[in-house]
């Protein structure tokens, strides 16, 4: 079964032949003759700022809110004040116990839910992603209360949509406390037929989306209750704060979003760990057994690479690529604000890589080959820490926003490390992919939702999406494009953006009208190559 519900970047790097640079410099291509000093300049400026910085904020800043104060540990010191926005985010408290032998997670989740729309909510809606057929597992809510009172519930779409009925509608601005007990079960050794990020195999027990996730509230009112489309990434969720406590057998190592803030023995065979996330769109939970790890640090962010011992050289390389990508993207986009980032080798099988907040999963076949495909895929998934995790969008409706940006990041990454011939090869790979779609008469606007991209999801969302950002760069020039990237990140951090937001930020960056460019690439299928 082949499905693209994961983030599967096109990797021009898989091609062994390297075309001559001159042959790739078509009119739309960027001429990159000299290495860019952008990374060195950024890191020097960052060092200068740190030398002149004021004292680091402490948890005392949030002394009246212990939940938020605990989140400080997940942030880089310069970004602790981002937590002043906490009133805009939901809060999850999860307590769970893992049973690896039965591939089962049993736990409770408390969520403070605020109506952030202008209309009352008659019910509260969640996604139970593991009940989607592609996951091959199960997530059951066994009890539920709102403000301590048991409530009725309902489901739709193979139980992947779940709601709790309210005795009285939740008025705009009002908050309730939801508590649910749940049991999640993953398959084992199932990556060849189901979603490998919810599976136990090859030393990694990956439990992505193991808990009920609040549906996104729509700006016009109500909840996002669409059925989950297999094509593209599953999760559409808004920024929240997580405080998660996990009991795990001592022979397993937890890998999660955020950072560990406490660890203690529960019984001789069980360890308890507590994690806080910082502002994140979801909480990834994984456990490894038998994997090795190596770590490093970039600009205060700790990086950990988990890998199979037989792939030690590739595991070290994954760490080095992550370090390089973090440096390049910090300089290009703006600094990654969180204290930890992890890369895990796993049996993904039907996709190459998948992003989660603070964690990326990379398929073991790329480690076994340890070629350019590993580097490209890691760079792509690290870029998603900006485009999806920090700056959100509707992956089920406007997938090109994050996937196109992360795909173009492959080019920016290779430019940033001085590998300009590889950057041009990546660009030409996207062109080849998109040309084939156009030649078959199947071109569509970038704004086309994934549900309508049967057979052309990757060429349009990844290929055409990346080429749009290259066309934007050529249209507005290098200085304005740099302003666009950094302003888009600053404007969008922790928010949910749409295509019109991107257009507005780009036009402000260049001081020009980009309606024609946006119309030709995003709103119509006009000839663009």
């Amino acid at each position: 079964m082949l499905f693209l519900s994961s983030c599967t970047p096109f990797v021009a790097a898989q091609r062994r032949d390297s075309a001559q640079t001159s042959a790739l410099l078509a009119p739309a291509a960027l001429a990159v003759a000299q290495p860019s000093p952008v990374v060195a300049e950024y890191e020097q400026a960052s060092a200068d700022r740190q030398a002149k910085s004021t004292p680091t904020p402490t948890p005392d800043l949030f002394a009246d809110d212990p939940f938020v104060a605990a989140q400080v540990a997940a942030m880089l010191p310069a970004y602790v004040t981002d937590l002043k926005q906490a009133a805009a985010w939901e809060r999850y408290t999860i307590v769970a116990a893992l049973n690896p032998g039965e591939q089962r997670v049993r736990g409770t989740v408390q969520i403070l839910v605020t109506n952030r729309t202008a209309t009352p909510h008659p019910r509260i809606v969640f996604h139970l992603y593991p009940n989607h057929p592609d996951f091959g597992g199960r997530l059951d809510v066994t009890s539920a209360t709102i403000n301590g009172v048991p409530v009725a519930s309902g489901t739709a779409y193979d139980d992947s949509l779940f709601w709790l009925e309210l005795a009285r509608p939740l008025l705009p601005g009002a908050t309730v406390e939801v508590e649910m007990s749940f049991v999640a079960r993953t398959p084992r050794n199932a990556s060849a037929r189901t979603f490998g990020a919810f599976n136990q195999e090859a030393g990694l027990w990956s439990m992505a989306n193991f808990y009920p996730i609040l549906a996104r509230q729509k700006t016009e009112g109500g909840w996002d209750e669409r059925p989950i489309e297999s094509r593209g990434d599953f999760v559409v969720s808004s920024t929240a704060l997580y405080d998660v406590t996990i009991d795990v057998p001592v022979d397993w190592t937890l890998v999660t979003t955020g950072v560990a803030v406490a660890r203690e023995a529960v019984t001789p065979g069980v360890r308890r760990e507590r994690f806080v996330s910082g502002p994140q769109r979801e909480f990834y939970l994984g456990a490894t057994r038998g994997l090795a790890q190596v770590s490093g640090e970039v600009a205060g962010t700790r990086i950990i690479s988990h890998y199979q011992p037989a792939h030690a050289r590739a595991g070290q390389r994954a760490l080095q690529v992550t370090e390089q990508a973090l440096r390049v993207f910090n300089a290009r986009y703006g600094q990654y604000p969180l204290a930890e980032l992890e890369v895990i080798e796993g049996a993904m099988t039907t996709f190459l890589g998948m992003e989660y907040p603070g964690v990326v999963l990379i398929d073991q076949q790329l480690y076994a080959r340890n070629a350019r495909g590993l580097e490209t895929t890691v760079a792509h998934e690290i870029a998603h820490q900006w485009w999806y995790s920090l700056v959100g969008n509707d992956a089920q409706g406007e997938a090109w926003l994050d996937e196109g940006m992360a795909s173009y990041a492959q080019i920016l990454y290779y430019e940033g490390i001085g590998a300009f011939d590889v950057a041009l090869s990546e660009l030409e790979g996207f062109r080849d992919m998109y040309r084939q779609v156009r030649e078959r008469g199947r071109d569509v606007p970038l704004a086309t939702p994934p549900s309508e991209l049967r057979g052309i999801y990757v060429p349009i969302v990844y290929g055409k999406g990346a080429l749009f950002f290259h066309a934007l760069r050529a249209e507005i020039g290098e200085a304005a494009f740099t302003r666009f990237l950094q302003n888009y990140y600053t404007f969008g951090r922790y928010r949910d953006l749409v295509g019109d937001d991107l257009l507005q930020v780009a036009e402000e960056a260049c001081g020009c009208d980009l309606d024609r460019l946006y119309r030709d690439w995003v709103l119509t299928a006009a000839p663009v190559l």
Side-chain angles (χ1 to χ4, degrees):
M1 171 180 177
L2 176 64
F3 61 98
L4 293 170
S5 59
S6 60
C7 167
T8 312
F10 171 76
V11 184
Q14 302 290 349
R15 304 182 314 183
R16 293 184 179 276
D17 56 314
S18 177
Q20 295 298 319
T21 299
S22 58
L24 300 177
L25 288 174
L30 175 70
V32 282
Q34 298 295 326
S36 169
V38 63
V39 175
E41 290 177 357
Y42 171 83
E43 292 188 339
Q44 182 59 55
S46 296
D48 293 343
R49 284 195 301 271
Q50 290 176 13
K52 301 174 183 178
S53 64
T54 56
T56 300
T58 69
D60 292 343
L61 186 64
F62 308 103
D64 60 341
D65 192 336
F67 187 96
V68 175
Q71 300 290 324
V72 168
M75 310 295 294
L76 293 182
Y79 291 87
V80 167
T81 53
D82 285 8
L83 294 170
K84 290 181 178 180
Q85 304 173 55
W89 308 322
E90 264 60 61
R91 302 181 181 192
Y92 289 72
T93 302
I94 300 174
V95 178
L98 307 189
N99 186 327
E102 298 180 4
Q103 299 96 248
R104 186 186 69 213
V105 185
R106 187 183 300 275
T108 62
V109 56
Q110 294 177 338
I111 313 172
L112 288 179
V113 181
T114 300
N115 183 345
R116 304 184 188 280
T117 75
T119 60
H121 288 325
R123 62 189 188 182
I124 300 177
V125 179
F126 302 86
H127 294 294
L128 307 183
Y129 288 101
N131 294 340
H132 187 279
D134 286 351
F135 276 70
R138 186 73 192 172
L139 172 57
D140 291 302
V141 175
T142 57
S143 67
T145 63
I146 296 179
N147 291 338
V149 178
V151 294
S153 64
T155 65
Y157 310 130
D158 296 316
D159 296 340
S160 64
L161 190 73
F162 175 81
W163 63 83
L164 300 177
E165 300 290 352
L166 288 156
R168 292 184 298 276
L170 185 64
L171 299 178
T175 299
V176 294
E177 181 178 273
V178 176
E179 182 168 351
M180 292 174 281
S181 298
F182 64 88
V183 179
R185 296 178 177 83
T186 76
R188 186 197 298 266
N189 298 329
S191 65
R193 59 184 185 277
T194 62
F195 185 42
F198 195 72
N199 177 50
Q200 186 181 132
E201 188 171 346
L204 170 63
W205 184 20
S206 184
M207 295 160 273
N209 316 132
F210 68 99
Y211 60 96
I213 296 179
L214 190 69
R216 196 162 70 165
Q217 300 183 57
K218 299 189 291 187
T219 55
E220 65 270 23
W223 302 93
D224 181 357
E225 299 188 23
R226 294 171 296 175
I228 301 164
E229 171 62 43
S230 294
R231 196 171 296 103
D233 291 335
F234 291 107
V235 177
V236 178
S237 59
S238 294
T239 298
L241 296 172
Y242 290 84
D243 192 314
V244 180
T245 300
I246 303 291
D247 287 357
V248 59
V250 295
D251 56 342
W252 287 80
T253 298
L254 293 177
V255 182
T256 75
T257 296
V259 299
V261 294
R263 182 179 289 109
E264 62 179 345
V266 179
T267 70
V270 175
R271 181 180 66 255
R272 177 170 295 162
E273 297 188 43
R274 179 185 169 206
F275 301 86
V276 293
S277 65
Q280 302 280 24
R281 296 191 178 272
E282 52 183 305
F283 187 89
Y284 175 82
L285 174 61
T288 68
R289 185 169 64 175
L291 297 191
Q293 63 178 247
V294 62
S295 64
E297 184 177 306
V298 170
T301 296
R302 185 182 183 223
I303 302 168
I304 308 170
S305 171
H306 305 262
Y307 56 89
Q308 296 171 16
H311 298 155
R313 292 182 63 185
Q316 178 67 49
R317 187 177 185 204
L319 174 67
Q320 293 169 344
V321 172
T322 303
E323 291 173 340
Q324 292 175 164
L326 208 58
R327 289 191 177 98
V328 170
F329 300 149
N330 276 346
R332 271 295 193 178
Y333 307 143
Q335 188 164 2
Y336 181 71
L338 296 152
E340 196 162 283
L341 180 57
E342 304 192 61
V343 180
I344 316 174
E345 176 184 3
M348 304 298 107
T349 306
T350 58
F351 58 94
L352 298 178
M354 181 68 201
E355 75 280 2
Y356 291 99
V359 178
V360 301
L361 309 179
I362 306 294
D363 185 53
Q364 61 185 354
Q365 298 175 66
L366 294 176
Y367 284 75
R369 290 194 290 268
N370 193 18
R372 184 170 136 193
L374 175 63
E375 184 171 15
T376 304
T377 304
V378 170
H380 178 107
E381 303 305 340
I382 296 303
H384 272 305
Q385 299 305 309
W386 281 262
W387 318 121
Y388 144 75
S389 184
L390 292 165
V391 179
N393 61 278
D394 179 6
Q396 296 263 304
E398 291 184 295
W400 69 276
L401 283 172
D402 66 297
E403 291 298 356
M405 191 76 94
S407 295
Y408 196 65
Q410 297 169 207
I411 295 166
L412 296 179
Y413 165 79
Y414 283 116
E415 288 179 1
I417 65 171
F420 301 108
D421 57 336
V422 184
L424 289 168
S425 177
E426 289 289 314
L427 180 62
E428 190 64 13
F430 289 124
R431 284 202 187 107
D432 287 346
M433 183 198 308
Y434 175 57
R435 283 194 190 105
Q436 292 177 29
V437 169
R438 283 200 65 85
E439 289 169 359
R440 298 200 308 267
R442 299 202 63 194
D443 191 15
V444 295
L446 277 175
T448 306
S451 59
E452 299 176 19
L453 297 176
R454 299 188 182 280
I456 56 172
Y457 175 81
V458 172
I460 294 298
V461 172
Y462 294 76
K464 187 176 184 178
L467 294 173
F468 165 79
F469 289 104
H470 193 67
L472 174 63
R473 187 179 184 179
E475 177 84 8
I476 67 178
E478 193 67 19
F481 186 70
T482 296
R483 284 196 298 275
F484 157 70
L485 291 174
Q486 297 181 352
N487 293 349
Y488 188 62
Y489 171 57
T490 300
F491 173 72
R493 192 162 74 237
Y494 312 131
R495 298 178 59 191
D496 304 322
L497 301 188
V498 297
D500 287 348
D501 294 320
L502 184 146
L503 174 61
Q504 176 185 332
V505 174
E507 289 184 332
E508 290 173 352
C510 69
C512 62
D513 186 336
L514 296 171
D515 284 352
R516 179 196 56 78
L517 178 78
Y518 191 79
R519 180 185 66 248
D520 289 352
W521 284 86
V522 179
L523 303 180
T524 71
V528 289
L529 282 186

